[in-house]
Amino acid sequence: WIVQHQEYQEALASVMRLMTKHELTLNHVNGIDALEKLEETGSLSAPVMECMLASTANDLDKSDMCKGLGYYHFSRISCGRLNNGPNFNLSSEEEVMFFIDPQVLFSHHFLICKGNAANLTAKQSPGKLHSMMSKQDALKEALRAVEKLQTMIRSPRTIPWNNEIAVFGGVESRFVYRQIATLRGSSLLSEKSQ
């Protein structure tokens, strides 16, 4: 309901123009197995969905689920450019950075914050919904997230390095750019060169 609401769509359109102007993407870091799952399932699955399918979850995902964030089925991403990911950087040869088209936000609700959403209050994480909200309160909260995103990206030089955007639902492959980033020495690089 929220993402279909005209007020949400219009507010987000303004943000999308700014993101296009500054050439911003949404960046997501995950293990190489996420690339294989993207090819298999057609989406970057949210951590709770992975857990429900009896797959393993890393400590960060388990922590988020224990704090109630897993209920929302989100994928963690940060706002940056194709050449960087300010919050979630590659730290291992077995990781891959995905670049996600911000247009995904037109069809998926999101929350946004500076820092770790799991450690912040709802007030510090605009867009954080709960099951007891009325539709109007949920819309207000979603618009607060859009406003925070617009403020955060006003100038690319001042985007906080520790920003976090949680996109609810999975991220369908049509929003994931074909380009990925890995570190030198990644097994993906040796596979592609053969």
Side-chain angles (χ1 to χ4, degrees):
W1 182 82
I2 293 168
V3 296
Q4 296 170 352
H5 198 281
Q6 183 177 352
E7 194 173 352
Y8 177 85
Q9 291 285 317
E10 289 172 0
L12 195 57
S14 173
V15 172
M16 287 302 126
R17 286 190 292 276
L18 194 55
M19 291 188 87
T20 301
K21 176 183 173 186
H22 296 310
E23 300 177 338
L24 298 175
T25 63
L26 302 175
N27 305 342
H28 172 70
V29 173
N30 209 321
I32 288 176
D33 60 327
L35 182 58
E36 295 163 3
K37 289 178 184 173
L38 174 65
E39 291 172 0
E40 281 176 28
T41 65
S43 70
L44 292 171
S45 298
V48 74
M49 294 305 293
E50 291 293 325
C51 195
M52 289 169 57
L53 295 171
S55 295
T56 59
N58 63 35
D59 290 340
L60 180 61
D61 293 340
K62 288 177 187 173
S63 173
D64 287 346
M65 286 185 267
C66 289
K67 292 179 180 179
L69 290 172
Y71 171 78
Y72 295 109
H73 310 298
F74 70 95
S75 295
R76 228 188 269 287
I77 53 185
S78 63
C79 186
R81 293 184 169 190
L82 275 172
N83 63 353
N84 74 0
N87 195 2
F88 303 104
N89 293 301
L90 294 168
S91 59
S92 154
E93 294 171 351
E94 296 307 307
E95 291 179 336
V96 62
M97 182 180 291
F98 297 94
F99 302 100
I100 300 168
D101 185 340
Q103 299 289 322
V104 69
L105 302 179
F106 278 114
S107 58
H108 291 266
H109 169 65
F110 68 99
L111 70 79
I112 183 168
C113 64
K114 182 179 173 187
N116 184 338
N119 298 330
L120 300 173
T121 65
K123 186 175 182 176
Q124 296 168 309
S125 301
K128 206 175 212 180
L129 305 181
H130 60 79
S131 61
M132 301 303 287
M133 284 182 152
S134 69
K135 284 185 175 183
Q136 287 305 316
D137 287 342
L139 177 60
K140 281 182 193 175
E141 193 59 24
L143 291 171
R144 217 168 63 86
V146 173
E147 183 180 337
K148 173 83 170 185
L149 177 57
Q150 184 157 16
T151 301
M152 192 178 282
I153 65 169
R154 201 160 274 145
S155 171
R157 291 185 177 156
T158 60
I159 294 174
W161 65 268
N162 61 341
N163 74 78
E164 183 169 284
I165 298 173
V167 176
F168 295 89
V171 175
E172 297 89 345
S173 61
R174 71 179 188 265
F175 296 113
V176 181
Y177 294 125
R178 294 178 54 120
Q179 297 86 355
I180 59 170
T182 63
L183 294 176
R184 281 191 181 98
S186 168
S187 60
L188 281 176
L189 296 174
S190 58
E191 288 173 20
K192 300 294 180 193
S193 63
Q194 294 178 0

